[in-house]
Amino acid sequence: DADVTQTPRNRITKTGKRIMLECSQTKGHDRMYWYRQDPGLGLRLIYYSFDVKDINKGEISDGYSVSRQAQAKFSLSLESAIPNQTALYFCATSDSGLYLVDEQFFGPGTRLTVL
Amino acid sequence: QKEVEQNSGPLSVPEGAIASLNCTYSDRVSQSFFWYRQYSGKSPELIMSIYSNGDKEDGRFTAQLNKASQYVSLLIRDSQPSDSATYLCAVNEYNFGNEKLTFGTGTRLTIIP
C-alpha cells in the first residue's frame, strides 16, 4: 500500500464550485504539505502543517484553505474554484528528524481542471 | 523570496555518458539540499540528499555541494534511457522557525540511446 495517498486522482469541476482534495499518510510523519505544480513554474507551496495544531501559509495560499484533521490527514479546499487553479496538486510528508528540514515524500498527485 | 535556479533544459546526453545537472541558491544559511527525479505526470521521488560540503555518492549518482559558491550539482554516471526525467533541486529556506523547502523549476534530461 502507498505511504501517501491522495483522493481524488483526477477531478474536473466548474468555476465557483467548492472542492476538497484529501491526503492521508501511513508514514507516521508529523509534517504535511500541499503543493501545486504548473508547467514552467515548478512546485509551489500552498500550505504546510508541522503538527495537528500548527497550520502555516505558503507562498500561494490565496484562494485555498486547509484542515489538519489528524496526524495522518491533511485536506486542501478550494472554496470557489477558478480556472487558474487548474494544476497538478501534490501532498507531501516529512519527519521532524535530525535536520530541521528533512526529505519529503510525495503522494501520487491530483490533477484538477477548473472549467 | 529565496530563489533556487536551475537550467530548464532540455539537456540531451548520449546513453552511457555522464549527465551533469546544476543548481544555485540564494539563501546563504541553507543547510539541507535534495535532488528529486520526476517522470512526466508522476510525483517527485527523492534520489539524493546532501548536507555537508563535498561529494556524496550513491550508486551511479553523485551530489556535490559547495556552500561558499551556493552551488549544488548532480552527476549521473553511465546514463540510461530510464534516467530521462525532470530533475528538481530543493533547498531548505529558513523562515523564523518554520523551515521549508524551496524547489527549482527543474531540468529536463533526455538520454539518447
Side-chain angles (χ1 to χ4, degrees):
Chain A
D1 290 340
D3 292 326
V4 185
T5 58
Q6 293 183 233
T7 55
R9 295 293 311 280
N10 288 282
R11 180 72 180 266
I12 299 173
T13 191
K14 295 182 178 180
T15 297
K17 294 292 187 181
R18 183 181 188 275
I19 185 168
M20 178 181 288
L21 309 183
E22 298 184 332
C23 177
S24 295
Q25 53 110 350
T26 59
K27 300 185 78 65
H29 289 168
D30 290 324
R31 302 180 175 191
M32 299 187 73
Y33 311 80
W34 275 105
Y35 293 91
R36 65 177 280 176
Q37 188 173 40
D38 302 272
L41 295 178
L43 282 164
R44 293 184 291 167
L45 185 63
I46 306 172
Y47 271 95
Y48 60 108
S49 169
F50 280 5
D51 64 41
V52 174
K53 297 180 180 179
D54 176 76
I55 301 290
N56 303 283
K57 292 182 177 181
E59 60 180 298
I60 54 164
S61 58
D62 287 349
Y64 302 94
S65 62
V66 291
S67 174
R68 183 81 183 266
Q69 300 96 325
Q71 185 204 36
K73 296 183 181 295
F74 193 34
S75 300
L76 176 72
S77 293
L78 288 68
E79 297 301 326
S80 180
I82 56 177
N84 76 0
Q85 291 177 313
T86 294
L88 186 55
Y89 289 84
F90 288 106
C91 173
T93 74
S94 70
D95 199 0
S96 49
L98 176 63
Y99 296 95
L100 288 175
V101 179
D102 216 333
E103 59 184 283
Q104 293 184 12
F105 297 86
F106 285 80
T110 294
R111 186 167 295 280
L112 176 66
T113 302
V114 183
L115 301 176
Chain B
Q1 176 68 31
K2 303 300 190 293
E3 295 183 346
V4 177
E5 302 282 347
Q6 295 182 255
N7 188 324
S8 62
L11 175 65
S12 296
V13 173
E15 183 176 357
I18 296 175
S20 178
L21 305 166
N22 304 315
C23 174
T24 59
Y25 60 94
S26 63
D27 186 355
R28 289 188 170 275
V29 299
S30 294
Q31 296 294 324
S32 307
F33 306 87
F34 306 91
W35 283 100
Y36 286 82
R37 178 176 62 199
Q38 186 177 23
Y39 294 113
S40 180
K42 303 297 184 182
S43 58
E45 56 176 327
L46 182 73
I47 53 173
M48 289 289 287
S49 59
I50 187 166
Y51 304 97
S52 303
N53 275 329
D55 294 359
K56 179 182 178 182
E57 185 175 319
D58 184 1
R60 296 186 298 111
F61 299 96
T62 299
Q64 300 175 317
L65 175 60
N66 184 326
K67 290 184 180 179
S69 300
Q70 295 175 238
Y71 176 94
V72 58
S73 64
L74 179 70
L75 301 178
I76 306 174
R77 290 181 300 281
D78 188 23
S79 297
Q80 303 296 309
S82 60
D83 295 327
S84 297
T86 296
Y87 289 80
L88 304 174
C89 173
V91 177
N92 81 313
E93 173 186 335
Y94 283 99
N95 185 24
F96 303 105
N98 288 325
E99 289 76 17
K100 53 185 171 62
L101 287 181
T102 298
F103 285 82
T105 55
T107 298
R108 186 157 57 93
L109 174 66
T110 300
I111 305 302
I112 304 170

